[in-house]
Amino acid sequence: MSRLIFNAFVMNTPSHLSTGMWRIPGDTSHRHDSLSHWTELAALLERGRFDALFMADTYGLSDVYGGSADAALRGAVQVPLHDPLLVVSAMANATRNLCFGVTCSTSYEAPFALARRFSTLDHLTQGRIGWNIVTSASDSAARNFGLEQQRDHASRYERAEEFLDVCYKLWEGSWEDGALLHDTERGVYVDPARVHRIGHRGAHFSVDGPHLVEPSPQRTPLLYQAGASAQGRAFASRHAECVFVGAPSKQALKRTVDKLRSAFSDAGRDPLSVPIIAEHTVITAPDSARAHEKHDAYKRVASEEGALVLMSGWTGIDLSQLEPDAPFEHRESHAIQSAVEAMSAADPGRVWSIAEIARWGTIGGLSPVTVGGPGEVADALQEWVADTGIDGFNLSYAAMDESFRDFVELIVPELQARGVYQREYAAGTFREKLFAGGARLSAPHPATAYRLS
Amino acid sequence: MSRLIFNAFVMNTPSHLSTGMWRIPGDTSHRHDSLSHWTELAALLERGRFDALFMADTYGLSDVYGGSADAALRGAVQVPLHDPLLVVSAMANATRNLCFGVTCSTSYEAPFALARRFSTLDHLTQGRIGWNIVTSASDSAARNFGLEQQRDHASRYERAEEFLDVCYKLWEGSWEDGALLHDTERGVYVDPARVHRIGHRGAHFSVDGPHLVEPSPQRTPLLYQAGASAQGRAFASRHAECVFVGAPSKQALKRTVDKLRSAFSDAGRDPLSVPIIAEHTVITAPDSARAHEKHDAYKRVASEEGALVLMSGWTGIDLSQLEPDAPFEHRESHAIQSAVEAMSAADPGRVWSIAEIARWGTIGGLSPVTVGGPGEVADALQEWVADTGIDGFNLSYAAMDESFRDFVELIVPELQARGVYQREYAAGTFREKLFAGGARLSAPHPATAYRLS
């Protein structure tokens, strides 16, 4: 598509990725416990023609740094963390077109219950709901659900595959189109011949069905996925309609995008048909100087310790045990590696210290940060697109809701003038607003194999 | 208390207990898939000073009757059935005082996730949330969650006890009051010394904690429970702050109330301190004649087959296999037994047929139905209170939303004039609106044993 996709990337917590920014005067992120916080944010984003509010989630605390959750709690590093699905109906009622992408894990929910939740929201929002599928990757979450530690990577994905099979059977294969008649004359609400048990028996789940909810506008919610590993990419290539990626440099991002496009091709899909949306943070003001002043002010408040707490959680390495000037060493395929790679690429041969990485990660976590006036930011975003092949951005905020307000007021008009940002929403569901097709998934998506009508 | 408690009893489905009534002209129950249905209903109930919207739920279809779900589907007998929790935030945003009691099962949810959901909603609603604790009692639900059939009665309650222990530890014993500082000066959001892991290790659950949500207005949501069995009463006597009961005759209801009050006494609680709320259906009009005309019109539409579908599900007996004129025999302690008992008491020695029971259950399920003008209805409700010792009513509807509109316009002013219906809401949380005490549970409720501060 020619226009770019923009989501607001948030979590039901203070200072999602720019840790410590809840301290900045006027920051409203602590108000995530109130309905008006969400309805006002949703209205602002709809005014700015954002595609969606995209909500991260997890079920555990960041407790690798220092061997406890103390630093996470002190700095409010993704804690308190409230449920994301429960704020959707209030926001949907305050908007008409904004869509909602919500992260839910296949590791800690029951597919029958999760499928009903998304079907319920797809009805209530008239098709404005998406699911960001994650398998979760923290031991602290596993320990809240009866496990000593998280399942290994391979078995998490195996479970996720079966989880989606169950959901597809419920969403696509249980109720035929036209099953719901609401025939007051004959007294037939549902035609039982068109509703089917799914009789799923698998290694992880046993689910009889039928689904309790009649077909919703999209049936299957729009499917987002964010898997960076080889297994994650394979999963995405089968299931994802949009992929969410994070990489702090153009080189790293382009590598990820290229690998994903290849995976789509290998799976028999048009590699360009799946939008790839990259995490990004924008700090802007009416002119460049003021944008940089704002960035400097943010940096004075944002927490380096908070960044290390997040990165310790992401890598599984307790960064508090290393001296600030110790060199950071690559290990396995953790998120942080791509950060270090990106920094290395920017300054070849240089070894980065823990302290430098911490400073680097305080705003927007590991996402790239673009600072500048409207023209500069628009240039930069378009360059990211041109240089990496991405289709849009998940914008994380530095200050709530200042970052989104600034973007709506300053950047959106600039991008609209350049013809790359939607001026009006397309009609219909989340899927229809993003793609030319209909409200439902199309073949050869695996979900469609379960259809009966 | 001198005033009576009134909840609206609904389910996220068409024609909850008066099956087939979705066929009546103007019935809006099929609009349960839309946000405006819920926000308009909530606003109506708040205008009528209802205490709460009380939502039933289950995870399975009624598939005992005829050995399949066909009749349930045809007649929309509690199907389609959408998630109840997800409509709350939209309704909360449309009201200021109406409270929400939502049914969730301890058999099919994970306590860590459920505790976070209720804490999230307690924050968003500013304390207007309650949990109707059920253990679920249907094989069809069990088969959607990996079981061949439901757990036996005793082990369901054993699991429920441990489930509540986990929730109490998370809600009451994980975060001390004052743990959340939001100290922008010192950069301390949460004092880690006042947040504690729960380290729960039990027969059913293993949950590390800490809770992800800071203390909400009520901490533990207001606890409703609806257990009619001896084990259910014992559970209620320990945990319930309000009890929801259903019995179709005064004799049967009084027996239930007396048994509950004894159970509260045995548990060391003031037997009158726990409100007992009874299911009831009111059909009214400006005068008696028109109310009876309305009732007759409803009876012509409401479905006898639907009533048998519900009762087959409740009893586990396939009533389609019995001739309509066959006598209904008592079995075990199912809901239907109390119905038959009540009918027997009304006409001693008489044996009721399946067909008669079906006709009897078409409006309001097994709840008593009061038909009349405002004065008659108010008299009748007050007599139910005087004769049985209940404290209020869960009003099921015959027609949506006509039944609630009629009640708000005709019965509420009559009851207010008699001084037994609140004219204004009390301030504060659900708990404060019902009881003289504070927003939090008081000793000796078992949840309070887990408190640290």
Side-chain angles (χ1 to χ4, degrees), chain A residues 23 57 74 81-83 86 89 116 120 143-144 146 184-185 189 206 208-209 212 214, chain B residues 23 57 74 81-83 86 89 116 120 144 146 184-185 189 206 208-209 212 214:
Chain A
R23 298 175 70 190
D57 192 34
R74 237 183 350 253
L81 180 55
H82 299 197
D83 187 280
L86 293 169
S89 73
R116 192 176 71 150
T120 299
R143 288 192 299 265
N144 291 324
T184 53
E185 194 67 33
Y189 201 97
S206 168
D208 243 25
L212 292 179
E214 76 278 22
Chain B
R23 298 175 68 189
D57 192 33
R74 238 182 350 253
L81 180 56
H82 299 196
D83 187 280
L86 293 169
S89 73
R116 191 175 73 150
T120 299
N144 290 325
T184 53
E185 193 67 33
Y189 201 98
S206 169
D208 242 27
L212 292 180
E214 76 278 23

mmCIF file of all heavy atoms in Angstrom, chain A residues 23 57 74 81-83 86 89 116 120 143-144 146 184-185 189 206 208-209 212 214, chain B residues 23 57 74 81-83 86 89 116 120 144 146 184-185 189 206 208-209 212 214:
data_model
loop_
_atom_site.group_PDB
_atom_site.id
_atom_site.type_symbol
_atom_site.label_atom_id
_atom_site.label_comp_id
_atom_site.label_asym_id
_atom_site.label_seq_id
_atom_site.Cartn_x
_atom_site.Cartn_y
_atom_site.Cartn_z
ATOM 1 N N ARG A 23 7.839 10.574 35.674
ATOM 2 C CA ARG A 23 8.246 11.671 36.563
ATOM 3 C C ARG A 23 8.160 13.043 35.885
ATOM 4 O O ARG A 23 8.237 14.069 36.557
ATOM 5 C CB ARG A 23 9.685 11.453 37.027
ATOM 6 C CG ARG A 23 9.884 10.199 37.833
ATOM 7 C CD ARG A 23 11.351 9.988 38.162
ATOM 8 N NE ARG A 23 11.836 10.975 39.116
ATOM 9 C CZ ARG A 23 13.112 11.144 39.444
ATOM 10 N NH1 ARG A 23 14.043 10.387 38.864
ATOM 11 N NH2 ARG A 23 13.480 12.046 40.316
ATOM 12 N N ASP A 57 1.455 -6.674 26.510
ATOM 13 C CA ASP A 57 1.081 -7.248 27.802
ATOM 14 C C ASP A 57 2.042 -8.368 28.169
ATOM 15 O O ASP A 57 2.709 -8.939 27.303
ATOM 16 C CB ASP A 57 -0.352 -7.802 27.768
ATOM 17 C CG ASP A 57 -0.863 -8.133 29.163
ATOM 18 O OD1 ASP A 57 -0.490 -7.430 30.119
ATOM 19 O OD2 ASP A 57 -1.643 -9.092 29.312
ATOM 20 N N ARG A 74 10.347 -0.047 42.012
ATOM 21 C CA ARG A 74 10.758 1.325 42.336
ATOM 22 C C ARG A 74 10.569 2.237 41.138
ATOM 23 O O ARG A 74 10.032 3.331 41.236
ATOM 24 C CB ARG A 74 12.229 1.326 42.764
ATOM 25 C CG ARG A 74 12.462 1.890 44.124
ATOM 26 C CD ARG A 74 13.925 1.967 44.555
ATOM 27 N NE ARG A 74 14.877 1.307 43.711
ATOM 28 C CZ ARG A 74 15.508 0.168 44.022
ATOM 29 N NH1 ARG A 74 15.259 -0.452 45.168
ATOM 30 N NH2 ARG A 74 16.383 -0.354 43.188
ATOM 31 N N LEU A 81 0.756 -3.442 36.261
ATOM 32 C CA LEU A 81 0.390 -3.857 34.914
ATOM 33 C C LEU A 81 -1.022 -4.439 34.929
ATOM 34 O O LEU A 81 -1.247 -5.512 35.463
ATOM 35 C CB LEU A 81 1.401 -4.895 34.404
ATOM 36 C CG LEU A 81 1.163 -5.430 32.996
ATOM 37 C CD1 LEU A 81 1.086 -4.301 31.978
ATOM 38 C CD2 LEU A 81 2.249 -6.412 32.610
ATOM 39 N N HIS A 82 -1.945 -3.678 34.343
ATOM 40 C CA HIS A 82 -3.357 -4.069 34.367
ATOM 41 C C HIS A 82 -3.727 -4.807 33.083
ATOM 42 O O HIS A 82 -2.991 -4.760 32.099
ATOM 43 C CB HIS A 82 -4.235 -2.829 34.525
ATOM 44 C CG HIS A 82 -3.999 -2.059 35.801
ATOM 45 N ND1 HIS A 82 -4.885 -1.140 36.271
ATOM 46 C CD2 HIS A 82 -2.986 -2.072 36.705
ATOM 47 C CE1 HIS A 82 -4.442 -0.610 37.410
ATOM 48 N NE2 HIS A 82 -3.274 -1.163 37.681
ATOM 49 N N ASP A 83 -4.911 -5.433 33.106
ATOM 50 C CA ASP A 83 -5.388 -6.202 31.961
ATOM 51 C C ASP A 83 -5.681 -5.280 30.765
ATOM 52 O O ASP A 83 -6.332 -4.247 30.920
ATOM 53 C CB ASP A 83 -6.670 -6.940 32.366
ATOM 54 C CG ASP A 83 -7.145 -7.889 31.296
ATOM 55 O OD1 ASP A 83 -7.784 -7.424 30.321
ATOM 56 O OD2 ASP A 83 -6.869 -9.095 31.414
ATOM 57 N N LEU A 86 -9.744 -5.392 28.973
ATOM 58 C CA LEU A 86 -10.908 -4.843 29.668
ATOM 59 C C LEU A 86 -11.121 -3.353 29.432
ATOM 60 O O LEU A 86 -12.163 -2.827 29.794
ATOM 61 C CB LEU A 86 -10.794 -5.139 31.167
ATOM 62 C CG LEU A 86 -10.891 -6.629 31.501
ATOM 63 C CD1 LEU A 86 -10.501 -6.898 32.940
ATOM 64 C CD2 LEU A 86 -12.300 -7.142 31.234
ATOM 65 N N SER A 89 -13.745 -1.976 25.487
ATOM 66 C CA SER A 89 -15.130 -1.607 25.170
ATOM 67 C C SER A 89 -15.396 -0.135 25.472
ATOM 68 O O SER A 89 -16.137 0.522 24.742
ATOM 69 C CB SER A 89 -16.141 -2.536 25.855
ATOM 70 O OG SER A 89 -16.244 -2.314 27.237
ATOM 71 N N ARG A 116 -13.685 -16.847 22.805
ATOM 72 C CA ARG A 116 -14.933 -16.155 23.110
ATOM 73 C C ARG A 116 -14.672 -14.679 23.399
ATOM 74 O O ARG A 116 -15.468 -13.813 23.005
ATOM 75 C CB ARG A 116 -15.662 -16.812 24.296
ATOM 76 C CG ARG A 116 -17.075 -16.278 24.432
ATOM 77 C CD ARG A 116 -17.880 -16.972 25.524
ATOM 78 N NE ARG A 116 -17.435 -16.623 26.854
ATOM 79 C CZ ARG A 116 -18.233 -16.586 27.926
ATOM 80 N NH1 ARG A 116 -19.518 -16.889 27.815
ATOM 81 N NH2 ARG A 116 -17.761 -16.272 29.103
ATOM 82 N N THR A 120 -16.411 -11.796 21.258
ATOM 83 C CA THR A 120 -17.245 -10.806 21.934
ATOM 84 C C THR A 120 -16.808 -9.395 21.550
ATOM 85 O O THR A 120 -17.641 -8.545 21.194
ATOM 86 C CB THR A 120 -17.144 -10.992 23.468
ATOM 87 O OG1 THR A 120 -17.613 -12.300 23.803
ATOM 88 C CG2 THR A 120 -17.957 -9.939 24.204
ATOM 89 N N ARG A 143 5.788 -18.722 36.492
ATOM 90 C CA ARG A 143 5.634 -19.066 37.905
ATOM 91 C C ARG A 143 4.313 -18.584 38.488
ATOM 92 O O ARG A 143 3.957 -18.943 39.618
ATOM 93 C CB ARG A 143 6.805 -18.508 38.715
ATOM 94 C CG ARG A 143 8.129 -19.278 38.467
ATOM 95 C CD ARG A 143 9.197 -18.920 39.486
ATOM 96 N NE ARG A 143 9.548 -17.516 39.456
ATOM 97 C CZ ARG A 143 10.591 -17.002 38.763
ATOM 98 N NH1 ARG A 143 11.379 -17.795 38.063
ATOM 99 N NH2 ARG A 143 10.842 -15.714 38.790
ATOM 100 N N ASN A 144 3.575 -17.762 37.748
ATOM 101 C CA ASN A 144 2.241 -17.367 38.189
ATOM 102 C C ASN A 144 1.167 -18.300 37.650
ATOM 103 O O ASN A 144 -0.010 -18.147 37.959
ATOM 104 C CB ASN A 144 1.949 -15.923 37.762
ATOM 105 C CG ASN A 144 2.806 -14.942 38.535
ATOM 106 O OD1 ASN A 144 3.088 -15.154 39.716
ATOM 107 N ND2 ASN A 144 3.233 -13.876 37.870
ATOM 108 N N GLY A 146 1.631 -21.907 37.555
ATOM 109 C CA GLY A 146 1.843 -23.302 37.933
ATOM 110 C C GLY A 146 3.088 -23.951 37.375
ATOM 111 O O GLY A 146 3.297 -25.143 37.562
ATOM 112 N N THR A 184 -38.176 -14.391 13.934
ATOM 113 C CA THR A 184 -39.190 -14.263 14.986
ATOM 114 C C THR A 184 -40.494 -14.936 14.568
ATOM 115 O O THR A 184 -41.264 -15.376 15.415
ATOM 116 C CB THR A 184 -39.476 -12.776 15.296
ATOM 117 O OG1 THR A 184 -39.790 -12.106 14.088
ATOM 118 C CG2 THR A 184 -38.258 -12.118 15.937
ATOM 119 N N GLU A 185 -40.723 -15.013 13.270
ATOM 120 C CA GLU A 185 -41.946 -15.626 12.755
ATOM 121 C C GLU A 185 -41.991 -17.116 13.114
ATOM 122 O O GLU A 185 -42.925 -17.591 13.766
ATOM 123 C CB GLU A 185 -41.976 -15.439 11.220
ATOM 124 C CG GLU A 185 -43.301 -15.708 10.572
ATOM 125 C CD GLU A 185 -44.351 -14.690 10.983
ATOM 126 O OE1 GLU A 185 -43.984 -13.493 11.207
ATOM 127 O OE2 GLU A 185 -45.513 -15.090 11.114
ATOM 128 N N TYR A 189 -33.996 -18.997 16.148
ATOM 129 C CA TYR A 189 -32.936 -17.996 16.291
ATOM 130 C C TYR A 189 -31.698 -18.471 15.552
ATOM 131 O O TYR A 189 -31.083 -17.727 14.798
ATOM 132 C CB TYR A 189 -32.614 -17.789 17.775
ATOM 133 C CG TYR A 189 -31.927 -16.472 18.080
ATOM 134 C CD1 TYR A 189 -32.663 -15.375 18.517
ATOM 135 C CD2 TYR A 189 -30.557 -16.332 17.954
ATOM 136 C CE1 TYR A 189 -32.043 -14.167 18.812
ATOM 137 C CE2 TYR A 189 -29.929 -15.129 18.239
ATOM 138 C CZ TYR A 189 -30.680 -14.049 18.671
ATOM 139 O OH TYR A 189 -30.066 -12.855 18.951
ATOM 140 N N SER A 206 -8.085 -30.139 24.503
ATOM 141 C CA SER A 206 -9.217 -30.967 24.125
ATOM 142 C C SER A 206 -10.450 -30.073 24.265
ATOM 143 O O SER A 206 -10.794 -29.638 25.368
ATOM 144 C CB SER A 206 -9.270 -32.167 25.070
ATOM 145 O OG SER A 206 -10.474 -32.848 24.925
ATOM 146 N N ASP A 208 -14.433 -29.420 22.808
ATOM 147 C CA ASP A 208 -15.583 -29.955 22.077
ATOM 148 C C ASP A 208 -16.295 -28.932 21.194
ATOM 149 O O ASP A 208 -16.720 -29.239 20.097
ATOM 150 C CB ASP A 208 -16.600 -30.483 23.096
ATOM 151 C CG ASP A 208 -16.793 -31.970 22.948
ATOM 152 O OD1 ASP A 208 -15.863 -32.639 22.455
ATOM 153 O OD2 ASP A 208 -17.862 -32.463 23.324
ATOM 154 N N GLY A 209 -16.472 -27.720 21.710
ATOM 155 C CA GLY A 209 -17.308 -26.753 21.013
ATOM 156 C C GLY A 209 -18.755 -27.186 21.116
ATOM 157 O O GLY A 209 -19.071 -28.072 21.893
ATOM 158 N N LEU A 212 -19.430 -20.511 21.337
ATOM 159 C CA LEU A 212 -20.643 -19.952 21.937
ATOM 160 C C LEU A 212 -21.101 -18.670 21.253
ATOM 161 O O LEU A 212 -22.168 -18.150 21.579
ATOM 162 C CB LEU A 212 -20.421 -19.687 23.429
ATOM 163 C CG LEU A 212 -20.247 -20.941 24.304
ATOM 164 C CD1 LEU A 212 -20.005 -20.553 25.749
ATOM 165 C CD2 LEU A 212 -21.480 -21.838 24.196
ATOM 166 N N GLU A 214 -21.873 -16.457 17.749
ATOM 167 C CA GLU A 214 -22.160 -16.479 16.313
ATOM 168 C C GLU A 214 -21.086 -15.706 15.554
ATOM 169 O O GLU A 214 -20.382 -14.879 16.144
ATOM 170 C CB GLU A 214 -23.552 -15.875 16.052
ATOM 171 C CG GLU A 214 -23.648 -14.354 16.135
ATOM 172 C CD GLU A 214 -23.784 -13.800 17.547
ATOM 173 O OE1 GLU A 214 -23.395 -14.492 18.515
ATOM 174 O OE2 GLU A 214 -24.262 -12.638 17.660
ATOM 175 N N ARG B 23 -38.768 -13.195 20.561
ATOM 176 C CA ARG B 23 -39.709 -13.090 19.441
ATOM 177 C C ARG B 23 -40.729 -11.971 19.623
ATOM 178 O O ARG B 23 -41.425 -11.595 18.682
ATOM 179 C CB ARG B 23 -40.470 -14.408 19.282
ATOM 180 C CG ARG B 23 -39.577 -15.580 18.955
ATOM 181 C CD ARG B 23 -40.364 -16.872 18.921
ATOM 182 N NE ARG B 23 -41.288 -16.909 17.785
ATOM 183 C CZ ARG B 23 -42.216 -17.843 17.614
ATOM 184 N NH1 ARG B 23 -42.351 -18.807 18.509
ATOM 185 N NH2 ARG B 23 -42.996 -17.818 16.566
ATOM 186 N N ASP B 57 -23.334 -16.300 33.743
ATOM 187 C CA ASP B 57 -22.469 -16.788 32.658
ATOM 188 C C ASP B 57 -22.269 -18.293 32.797
ATOM 189 O O ASP B 57 -22.430 -18.852 33.885
ATOM 190 C CB ASP B 57 -21.114 -16.082 32.669
ATOM 191 C CG ASP B 57 -20.314 -16.351 31.395
ATOM 192 O OD1 ASP B 57 -20.931 -16.508 30.321
ATOM 193 O OD2 ASP B 57 -19.074 -16.420 31.466
ATOM 194 N N ARG B 74 -31.916 -23.548 18.361
ATOM 195 C CA ARG B 74 -33.135 -23.096 17.688
ATOM 196 C C ARG B 74 -33.823 -22.006 18.495
ATOM 197 O O ARG B 74 -34.239 -20.983 17.971
ATOM 198 C CB ARG B 74 -34.085 -24.280 17.496
ATOM 199 C CG ARG B 74 -34.462 -24.530 16.064
ATOM 200 C CD ARG B 74 -35.440 -25.669 15.851
ATOM 201 N NE ARG B 74 -35.731 -26.506 16.982
ATOM 202 C CZ ARG B 74 -35.282 -27.752 17.133
ATOM 203 N NH1 ARG B 74 -34.506 -28.316 16.217
ATOM 204 N NH2 ARG B 74 -35.621 -28.450 18.209
ATOM 205 N N LEU B 81 -23.788 -16.897 23.474
ATOM 206 C CA LEU B 81 -23.436 -16.453 24.816
ATOM 207 C C LEU B 81 -22.060 -15.794 24.780
ATOM 208 O O LEU B 81 -21.051 -16.465 24.578
ATOM 209 C CB LEU B 81 -23.442 -17.655 25.774
ATOM 210 C CG LEU B 81 -23.086 -17.361 27.227
ATOM 211 C CD1 LEU B 81 -23.985 -16.288 27.821
ATOM 212 C CD2 LEU B 81 -23.184 -18.642 28.056
ATOM 213 N N HIS B 82 -22.057 -14.472 24.970
ATOM 214 C CA HIS B 82 -20.815 -13.702 24.862
ATOM 215 C C HIS B 82 -20.213 -13.487 26.255
ATOM 216 O O HIS B 82 -20.868 -13.672 27.272
ATOM 217 C CB HIS B 82 -21.087 -12.352 24.197
ATOM 218 C CG HIS B 82 -21.625 -12.458 22.794
ATOM 219 N ND1 HIS B 82 -21.627 -11.410 21.923
ATOM 220 C CD2 HIS B 82 -22.185 -13.490 22.100
ATOM 221 C CE1 HIS B 82 -22.148 -11.772 20.760
ATOM 222 N NE2 HIS B 82 -22.503 -13.032 20.848
ATOM 223 N N ASP B 83 -18.964 -13.030 26.254
ATOM 224 C CA ASP B 83 -18.248 -12.790 27.513
ATOM 225 C C ASP B 83 -18.886 -11.630 28.295
ATOM 226 O O ASP B 83 -19.174 -10.579 27.724
ATOM 227 C CB ASP B 83 -16.782 -12.449 27.186
ATOM 228 C CG ASP B 83 -15.932 -12.361 28.428
ATOM 229 O OD1 ASP B 83 -15.989 -11.315 29.103
ATOM 230 O OD2 ASP B 83 -15.221 -13.333 28.721
ATOM 231 N N LEU B 86 -16.300 -8.217 29.443
ATOM 232 C CA LEU B 86 -15.806 -7.263 28.445
ATOM 233 C C LEU B 86 -16.759 -6.113 28.164
ATOM 234 O O LEU B 86 -16.384 -5.153 27.504
ATOM 235 C CB LEU B 86 -15.462 -8.010 27.150
ATOM 236 C CG LEU B 86 -14.266 -8.967 27.295
ATOM 237 C CD1 LEU B 86 -14.134 -9.863 26.089
ATOM 238 C CD2 LEU B 86 -12.988 -8.179 27.517
ATOM 239 N N SER B 89 -16.529 -2.121 31.049
ATOM 240 C CA SER B 89 -15.902 -0.793 31.033
ATOM 241 C C SER B 89 -16.736 0.215 30.247
ATOM 242 O O SER B 89 -16.810 1.389 30.625
ATOM 243 C CB SER B 89 -14.453 -0.843 30.549
ATOM 244 O OG SER B 89 -14.340 -1.066 29.167
ATOM 245 N N ARG B 116 -6.245 -10.495 38.298
ATOM 246 C CA ARG B 116 -5.850 -9.266 37.613
ATOM 247 C C ARG B 116 -7.044 -8.629 36.906
ATOM 248 O O ARG B 116 -7.182 -7.399 36.887
ATOM 249 C CB ARG B 116 -4.712 -9.521 36.621
ATOM 250 C CG ARG B 116 -4.115 -8.216 36.115
ATOM 251 C CD ARG B 116 -2.910 -8.415 35.213
ATOM 252 N NE ARG B 116 -3.258 -8.914 33.905
ATOM 253 C CZ ARG B 116 -2.581 -8.668 32.789
ATOM 254 N NH1 ARG B 116 -1.490 -7.929 32.838
ATOM 255 N NH2 ARG B 116 -2.946 -9.166 31.639
ATOM 256 N N THR B 120 -8.242 -4.921 37.760
ATOM 257 C CA THR B 120 -8.298 -3.919 36.687
ATOM 258 C C THR B 120 -9.663 -3.237 36.665
ATOM 259 O O THR B 120 -9.758 -2.007 36.617
ATOM 260 C CB THR B 120 -8.018 -4.600 35.329
ATOM 261 O OG1 THR B 120 -6.704 -5.171 35.357
ATOM 262 C CG2 THR B 120 -8.119 -3.602 34.177
ATOM 263 N N ASN B 144 -15.185 -28.228 27.052
ATOM 264 C CA ASN B 144 -14.504 -27.162 26.312
ATOM 265 C C ASN B 144 -13.170 -26.780 26.962
ATOM 266 O O ASN B 144 -12.442 -25.934 26.448
ATOM 267 C CB ASN B 144 -15.398 -25.923 26.217
ATOM 268 C CG ASN B 144 -16.579 -26.174 25.293
ATOM 269 O OD1 ASN B 144 -16.451 -26.892 24.297
ATOM 270 N ND2 ASN B 144 -17.732 -25.604 25.626
ATOM 271 N N GLY B 146 -10.904 -29.317 28.254
ATOM 272 C CA GLY B 146 -9.995 -30.452 28.385
ATOM 273 C C GLY B 146 -10.447 -31.564 29.295
ATOM 274 O O GLY B 146 -9.702 -32.505 29.534
ATOM 275 N N THR B 184 7.390 11.527 42.364
ATOM 276 C CA THR B 184 8.135 12.008 41.198
ATOM 277 C C THR B 184 9.446 12.665 41.625
ATOM 278 O O THR B 184 10.413 12.683 40.870
ATOM 279 C CB THR B 184 7.302 13.021 40.391
ATOM 280 O OG1 THR B 184 6.852 14.045 41.273
ATOM 281 C CG2 THR B 184 6.096 12.351 39.741
ATOM 282 N N GLU B 185 9.462 13.181 42.827
ATOM 283 C CA GLU B 185 10.666 13.855 43.338
ATOM 284 C C GLU B 185 11.829 12.860 43.480
ATOM 285 O O GLU B 185 12.898 13.039 42.898
ATOM 286 C CB GLU B 185 10.330 14.481 44.702
ATOM 287 C CG GLU B 185 11.352 15.471 45.219
ATOM 288 C CD GLU B 185 11.389 16.730 44.353
ATOM 289 O OE1 GLU B 185 10.317 17.123 43.816
ATOM 290 O OE2 GLU B 185 12.487 17.283 44.212
ATOM 291 N N TYR B 189 8.182 4.965 42.344
ATOM 292 C CA TYR B 189 6.749 4.769 42.051
ATOM 293 C C TYR B 189 6.151 3.822 43.078
ATOM 294 O O TYR B 189 5.090 4.062 43.624
ATOM 295 C CB TYR B 189 6.595 4.196 40.638
ATOM 296 C CG TYR B 189 5.225 4.406 40.030
ATOM 297 C CD1 TYR B 189 4.984 5.464 39.153
ATOM 298 C CD2 TYR B 189 4.170 3.547 40.310
ATOM 299 C CE1 TYR B 189 3.743 5.666 38.577
ATOM 300 C CE2 TYR B 189 2.917 3.740 39.745
ATOM 301 C CZ TYR B 189 2.705 4.803 38.881
ATOM 302 O OH TYR B 189 1.467 4.999 38.322
ATOM 303 N N SER B 206 -0.232 -23.247 41.733
ATOM 304 C CA SER B 206 1.081 -22.816 42.186
ATOM 305 C C SER B 206 1.293 -21.423 41.601
ATOM 306 O O SER B 206 1.376 -21.257 40.385
ATOM 307 C CB SER B 206 2.119 -23.817 41.677
ATOM 308 O OG SER B 206 3.408 -23.317 41.869
ATOM 309 N N ASP B 208 3.330 -17.686 42.198
ATOM 310 C CA ASP B 208 4.387 -16.966 42.894
ATOM 311 C C ASP B 208 4.009 -15.549 43.307
ATOM 312 O O ASP B 208 4.364 -15.101 44.374
ATOM 313 C CB ASP B 208 5.605 -16.873 41.966
ATOM 314 C CG ASP B 208 6.797 -17.593 42.558
ATOM 315 O OD1 ASP B 208 6.577 -18.535 43.349
ATOM 316 O OD2 ASP B 208 7.925 -17.230 42.221
ATOM 317 N N GLY B 209 3.326 -14.828 42.398
ATOM 318 C CA GLY B 209 3.103 -13.413 42.643
ATOM 319 C C GLY B 209 4.410 -12.659 42.473
ATOM 320 O O GLY B 209 5.370 -13.235 41.973
ATOM 321 N N LEU B 212 0.099 -8.129 40.033
ATOM 322 C CA LEU B 212 0.609 -7.100 39.111
ATOM 323 C C LEU B 212 -0.102 -5.764 39.282
ATOM 324 O O LEU B 212 0.288 -4.784 38.659
ATOM 325 C CB LEU B 212 0.469 -7.581 37.664
ATOM 326 C CG LEU B 212 1.382 -8.756 37.269
ATOM 327 C CD1 LEU B 212 1.145 -9.145 35.815
ATOM 328 C CD2 LEU B 212 2.854 -8.389 37.481
ATOM 329 N N GLU B 214 -1.668 -2.727 41.767
ATOM 330 C CA GLU B 214 -1.658 -2.080 43.076
ATOM 331 C C GLU B 214 -3.067 -2.132 43.692
ATOM 332 O O GLU B 214 -4.044 -2.316 42.975
ATOM 333 C CB GLU B 214 -1.188 -0.628 42.931
ATOM 334 C CG GLU B 214 -2.206 0.368 42.349
ATOM 335 C CD GLU B 214 -2.290 0.352 40.825
ATOM 336 O OE1 GLU B 214 -1.922 -0.668 40.200
ATOM 337 O OE2 GLU B 214 -2.752 1.380 40.270
#
